[in-house]
């Protein structure tokens, strides 16, 4: 859904769909009957077991039948293993008796040879020599006959194995249907959510700040993973490696294809709800349609709740304005709930990746405990290890979802940067006083357009050091944009979101910097501004690995370029440029091309363009 000219309140179809799935409402009509409507819609969607009854019958009956089938296969496999064990014992006993007979024959022969030697019959000695080869030949012939007489008691593949394989194939097909039905129930429950749909994130996440402190997840992940675990473990309980391998492949396929697609789509809808100015986050003109619609859909209920509480407390004489103030506070809280629910869809991708990793370990332990070593068991292990690829797919989908969210927020980020640096398209910024407050002239405020400018003389540099500057105002606006999100995202996602936004800010700042001239003092001021921006990021990032400038620049390449521009423009003499570039390249900390370096150095008013060109006359390595 793209355009926003139709529907309730001008919302796009995508936003209306997202509102419904997140339980945020789509208009002002859903008040006291909202919970009832959700329950009725959910019940209607689950009619006839989500449509699976038409295909396979009542799912409870199918589940009970699969329990019986699994029990039959388990007994069959146990019987087959017992028979093969008994046959192995018989063969071991036969081989043991054969070895005993060989040993007895060897002893008898040795005794006969000893008696012959003791007799000292010289005439019998040649006869013994003639008989010995024949006797040995006969003994070997007898051994060969004994080996030939060893017949196969039980073939490697029997008719019982064929019947078990046929039953296992039918069992696996029905188990797949039952798994899909269970997941479809979870999908419908998540599409018509209530308060029970969302819960605090269950996976452990070490945090060093308030980031992720109020992160939510949906019960969609737990319900789907429970269905997959139950289905696969029931197949494992049969003891039949073929059936277990088929169930493992089904589990890998359903999680890595069906669940991945659903969660990725829900994350896309969550990103559309968080689009500044159109969704739950404030834009240049304030809150968007999604936030206002959500607040409107619940404001009536909240207003009556406040009135009822006031009446019960004996505060019936409250003025309407006070009640409206309380209702406004509730509306802000409800909007915050909407943001948390939208963020839960991003958290789900991280949660399902962690749960799938645990599921793989659980299955491998079950195989080690319940299956004998062999080729078939090793094949089963390889099927389970396919879940490792599923974990990677979930992680990649999580990264793509954050990238999509960043792309929806970048237009507002660019507006913030443009407003701060004074580019065309930005709105006017109040002139800043010593503490950055608007400068008042009588009863009115003086408004002027503040532009990025590094062509500073001594007086301008001193004033720049005393005032807040455009970077401080820009970071304050960025804080207003991202602050509602930090507590509702897992720390890993929050850091990725901030890195993405920081990249957009750095790219826009680089474009603005290329339009300015620089004095040596202006270059120092740029260095101070870049450090301010990096400290702003490090203060809000949760990961300790991103707290240093080196790792932060590696994580955010546009910021690294901005830092390199600052270093380049702050050289005292042109002769130092080549040393700076060569040393930085050896450390792997230089991305600027020589053409970029020429352009940037030409911005220094004290560097002659001809000297810059003569100095950098070399091939770009």
């Amino acid at each position: 859904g793209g355009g926003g000219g139709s529907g309730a309140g001008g919302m796009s179809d995508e936003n209306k769909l997202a509102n419904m799935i997140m339980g945020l409402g789509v208009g002002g009509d859903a008040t006291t009957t909202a919970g009832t409507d959700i329950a009725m819609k959910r019940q209607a969607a689950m009619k006839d077991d989500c449509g699976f009854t038409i295909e396979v019958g009542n799912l409870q009956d199918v589940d009970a039948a699969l329990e019986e089938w699994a029990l039959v296969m388990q007994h069959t496999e146990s019987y087959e293993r017992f028979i093969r064990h008994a046959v192995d014992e018989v063969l071991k006993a036969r081989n043991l008796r054969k070895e005993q007979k060989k040993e007895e024959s060897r002893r008898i022969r040795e005794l006969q040879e000893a008696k012959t030697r003791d007799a000292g019959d010289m005439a019998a000695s040649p006869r013994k020599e003639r008989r010995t080869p024949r006797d040995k030949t006969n003994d070997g012939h007898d051994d060969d006959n004994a080996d030939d007489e060893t017949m196969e008691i039980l073939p490697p593949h029997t008719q019982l194995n064929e019947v078990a394989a046929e039953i296992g194939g039918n069992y696996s097909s029905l188990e797949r249907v039952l798994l899909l039905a269970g997941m479809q129930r979870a999908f419908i429950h998540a599409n018509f959510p209530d308060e029970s749909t969302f819960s605090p994130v269950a996976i452990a996440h070490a945090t060093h700040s308030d980031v992720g402190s109020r992160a939510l997840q949906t019960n969609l992940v737990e319900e789907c993973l429970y269905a997959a675990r139950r289905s696969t473990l029931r197949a494992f309980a049969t003891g039949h490696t073929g059936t277990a391998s088929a169930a493992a492949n089904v589990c890998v396929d359903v999680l890595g294809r069906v669940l991945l697609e659903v969660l990725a789509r829900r994350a896309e809808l969550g990103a559309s709800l968080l689009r500044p100015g159109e969704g739950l986050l404030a834009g240049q003109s304030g809150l968007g349609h999604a936030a206002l619609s959500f607040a409107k859909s619940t404001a009536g209920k909240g207003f009556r709740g406040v009135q009822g509480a006031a009446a019960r407390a004996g505060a019936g004489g409250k003025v309407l304005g006070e009640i409206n103030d309380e209702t406004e506070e509730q509306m802000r809280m409800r909007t915050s709930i909407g943001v948390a629910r939208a963020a839960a869809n991003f958290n789900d991708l991280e949660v399902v990746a962690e749960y799938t990793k645990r599921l793989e370990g659980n299955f491998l332990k079950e195989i080690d405990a319940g299956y004998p070593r062999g080729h078939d068991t090793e094949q089963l292990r390889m099927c389970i290890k396919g879940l490792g690829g599923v974990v990677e797919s979930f992680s990649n989908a999580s990264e793509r979802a954050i990238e999509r969210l960043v792309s929806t927020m970048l237009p507002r980020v660019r507006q913030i940067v443009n407003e701060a640096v004074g580019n065309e398209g930005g709105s006017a910024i109040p002139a800043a006083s010593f503490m950055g407050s608007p400068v008042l002239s009588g009863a009115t405020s003086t408004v002027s357009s503040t532009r990025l400018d590094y062509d500073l003389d001594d007086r301008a540099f001193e004033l720049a050091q005393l005032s807040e500057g455009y970077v401080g105002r820009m970071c304050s606006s960025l804080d207003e944009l991202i602050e509602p999100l930090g507590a509702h995202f897992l720390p890993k996602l929050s850091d990725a979101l901030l890195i993405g936004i920081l990249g957009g800010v750095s790219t826009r700042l680089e474009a603005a910097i290329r339009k300015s001239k620089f004095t040596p003092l202006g270059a120092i001021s740029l260095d101070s501004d870049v450090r301010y921006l990096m400290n702003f990021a490090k203060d809000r990032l949760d990961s300790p690995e991103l707290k240093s400038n080196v790792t932060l620049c590696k994580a955010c390449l546009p910021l690294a370029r901005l830092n390199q521009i600052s270093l380049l423009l702050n050289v005292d003499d042109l002769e130092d440029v080549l040393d700076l570039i060569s040393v930085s390249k050896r450390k792997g900390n230089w991305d600027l091309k020589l053409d970029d370096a020429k352009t940037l150095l030409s911005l220094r008013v004290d560097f002659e363009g001809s000297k810059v060109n003569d100095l950098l006359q070399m091939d770009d390595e």
Side-chain angles (χ1 to χ4, degrees):
S6 61
M11 281 193 301
S12 65
D13 294 338
E14 184 180 49
N15 275 351
K16 288 190 287 186
L17 176 62
N19 281 343
M20 181 187 71
I21 290 180
M22 307 308 161
L24 307 185
V26 296
D29 297 333
T31 54
T32 56
T33 60
T36 305
D37 290 343
I38 289 175
M40 292 177 61
K41 290 178 181 179
R42 184 190 300 165
Q43 185 176 4
M46 290 186 178
K47 186 179 180 181
D48 295 331
D49 286 327
C50 310
F52 282 88
T53 300
I54 300 175
E55 301 295 333
V56 296
N58 184 273
L59 293 186
Q60 292 183 350
D61 295 340
V62 174
D63 185 68
L66 288 179
E67 290 285 350
E68 296 294 333
W69 281 26
L71 187 61
V72 169
M73 294 184 65
Q74 185 184 63
H75 290 329
T76 302
E77 186 67 20
S78 298
Y79 174 75
E80 203 261 350
R81 290 186 185 183
F82 170 75
I83 292 298
R84 290 196 178 277
H85 175 73
V87 170
D88 290 340
E89 292 299 318
V90 170
L91 291 176
K92 289 179 182 179
R94 177 180 292 178
N95 292 332
L96 181 61
R97 289 194 299 270
K98 186 195 309 182
E99 293 296 329
Q100 289 176 346
K101 289 181 179 179
K102 288 182 179 180
E103 183 65 21
E104 184 177 357
S105 299
R106 185 182 64 79
R107 288 199 303 268
I108 293 174
R109 186 169 59 250
E110 290 177 352
L111 289 174
Q112 291 176 348
E113 292 176 353
K115 288 180 181 180
T116 303
R117 287 194 300 270
D118 294 340
D121 189 352
M122 301 301 296
S125 180
R127 288 195 301 270
K128 182 183 74 172
E129 292 177 356
R130 287 193 300 270
R131 282 197 310 270
T132 300
R134 183 177 63 253
D135 293 340
K136 290 182 179 179
T137 302
N138 291 337
D139 291 341
H141 182 69
D142 293 341
D143 291 341
D144 292 338
N145 289 338
D147 291 336
D148 293 337
E149 291 176 357
T150 302
M151 63 178 181
E152 185 179 56
I153 300 177
L154 186 66
H157 191 75
T158 64
Q159 291 184 353
L160 180 62
N161 297 134
E162 295 179 359
V163 173
E166 183 178 358
I167 294 177
N170 295 329
Y171 171 89
S172 300
S173 299
L174 284 177
E175 193 71 84
R176 181 178 186 275
V177 173
L178 196 63
L179 173 57
L180 290 174
M183 294 181 66
Q184 182 66 18
R185 284 199 192 98
F187 297 156
I188 291 176
H189 186 274
N191 287 345
F192 299 98
D194 52 22
E195 294 297 331
S196 64
T197 307
F198 302 91
S199 60
V201 170
I203 61 175
H205 55 280
T207 179
H208 302 81
S209 61
D210 188 52
V211 174
S213 59
R214 299 192 295 276
L216 299 179
Q217 70 178 68
T218 66
N219 58 9
L220 171 62
V221 172
E222 291 185 343
E223 291 181 5
C224 289
L225 267 293
Y226 171 77
R229 181 178 182 273
R230 181 175 182 269
S231 172
T232 309
L233 287 181
R234 179 160 60 185
F236 280 13
T238 63
H240 190 261
T241 53
T243 302
S245 297
N249 289 331
V250 168
C251 179
V252 171
D253 177 68
V254 171
L255 293 182
R257 188 169 53 84
V258 179
L259 183 57
L260 175 62
E261 182 178 353
V262 171
L263 292 180
R265 176 56 180 160
R266 289 177 65 87
E268 291 178 5
L269 294 176
S272 67
L273 276 177
L274 295 175
R275 182 179 289 110
E278 299 179 20
L280 293 165
L281 297 181
Q284 191 173 14
S285 303
L287 289 176
H289 292 300
L292 295 177
S293 173
F294 178 49
K296 184 179 179 182
S297 66
T298 54
K301 180 179 179 181
F303 183 72
R304 284 191 292 274
V306 172
Q307 284 183 320
R312 288 191 297 272
K318 270 191 173 183
V319 296
L320 184 61
E322 294 176 349
I323 297 178
N324 284 336
D325 290 340
E326 294 186 13
T327 306
E328 183 179 355
E329 177 64 24
Q330 287 191 349
M331 289 169 62
R332 285 196 296 268
M333 292 179 60
R334 293 177 192 277
T335 304
S336 177
I337 293 174
V339 172
R341 290 185 175 185
N345 296 279
F346 296 88
N347 297 333
D348 280 347
L349 286 168
E350 289 295 317
V351 172
V352 74
E354 177 63 25
Y355 280 3
T356 305
K357 187 186 300 182
R358 297 179 187 177
L359 193 65
E360 179 185 2
N362 188 358
F363 286 162
L364 291 176
K365 290 180 180 179
E366 291 290 335
I367 293 174
D368 293 338
Y371 286 84
R373 293 184 178 181
H375 176 268
D376 293 339
T377 301
E378 188 61 29
Q379 186 177 13
L380 175 57
R381 290 179 62 87
M382 295 304 297
C383 293
I384 291 300
K385 288 183 178 180
L387 288 174
V390 177
V391 173
E392 185 177 356
S393 298
F394 284 131
S395 298
N396 293 336
S398 178
E399 294 177 0
R400 291 193 298 269
I402 291 297
E403 291 174 358
R404 181 182 179 90
L405 178 58
V406 169
S407 67
T408 63
M409 299 178 69
L410 279 183
R412 175 56 185 154
V413 171
R414 297 189 187 102
Q415 288 179 352
I416 291 174
V417 178
N418 288 342
E419 291 170 357
V421 302
N423 281 352
E424 295 180 2
S427 60
I429 303 296
S433 65
F434 174 78
M435 297 302 293
S437 303
V439 178
L440 300 179
S441 176
T444 60
S445 61
T446 302
V447 179
S448 62
S449 179
T450 303
R451 292 181 177 274
L452 175 148
D453 185 13
Y454 290 108
D455 190 4
L456 305 178
D457 54 18
D458 292 342
R459 182 174 180 277
F461 179 76
E462 291 177 2
L463 291 176
Q465 297 303 306
L466 293 176
S467 62
E468 181 183 15
Y470 77 93
V471 175
R473 292 192 299 272
M474 179 187 69
C475 291
S476 178
S477 298
L478 290 175
D479 247 347
E480 294 178 0
L481 177 65
I482 63 178
E483 190 274 334
L485 300 175
H488 302 302
F489 278 97
L490 285 171
K492 177 183 176 181
L493 300 181
S494 177
D495 287 353
L497 176 62
L498 182 55
I499 290 294
I501 291 176
L502 197 62
V505 170
S506 301
T507 301
R508 182 63 64 169
L509 282 179
E510 180 180 343
I513 287 172
R514 288 175 177 265
K515 299 177 182 179
S516 176
K517 290 294 183 180
F518 285 82
T519 63
L521 292 177
I524 294 175
S525 181
L526 172 63
D527 180 71
S528 175
D529 290 339
V530 172
R531 291 178 184 274
Y532 187 101
L533 181 61
M534 297 179 74
N535 289 331
F536 166 83
K538 289 188 291 185
D539 288 342
R540 285 151 186 81
L541 290 169
D542 182 76
S543 174
E545 288 77 13
L546 296 174
K547 295 294 186 179
S548 71
N549 291 345
V550 175
T551 55
L552 179 58
C553 288
K554 287 183 179 180
C556 184
L557 296 182
L559 181 61
R561 283 180 58 88
L562 202 62
N563 187 51
Q564 293 163 21
I565 291 172
S566 174
L567 292 175
L568 183 65
L569 290 175
N570 273 276
V571 293
D572 295 329
D573 191 273
L574 280 176
E575 299 297 331
D576 299 332
V577 172
L578 295 180
D579 291 337
L580 172 65
I581 294 177
S582 60
V583 171
S584 298
K585 280 189 174 181
R586 284 198 298 269
K587 294 180 179 179
N589 298 331
W590 196 262
D591 299 322
L592 295 177
K593 298 183 180 298
L594 288 180
D595 289 340
D596 293 330
K598 292 178 184 179
T599 302
L600 292 167
L601 287 173
S602 299
L603 299 178
R604 279 281 295 264
V605 296
D606 54 329
F607 292 163
E608 294 182 12
S610 58
K611 292 184 178 180
V612 172
N613 291 329
D614 293 340
L615 181 67
L616 298 180
Q617 288 299 328
M618 61 181 69
D619 294 334
D620 187 7
E621 296 180 359

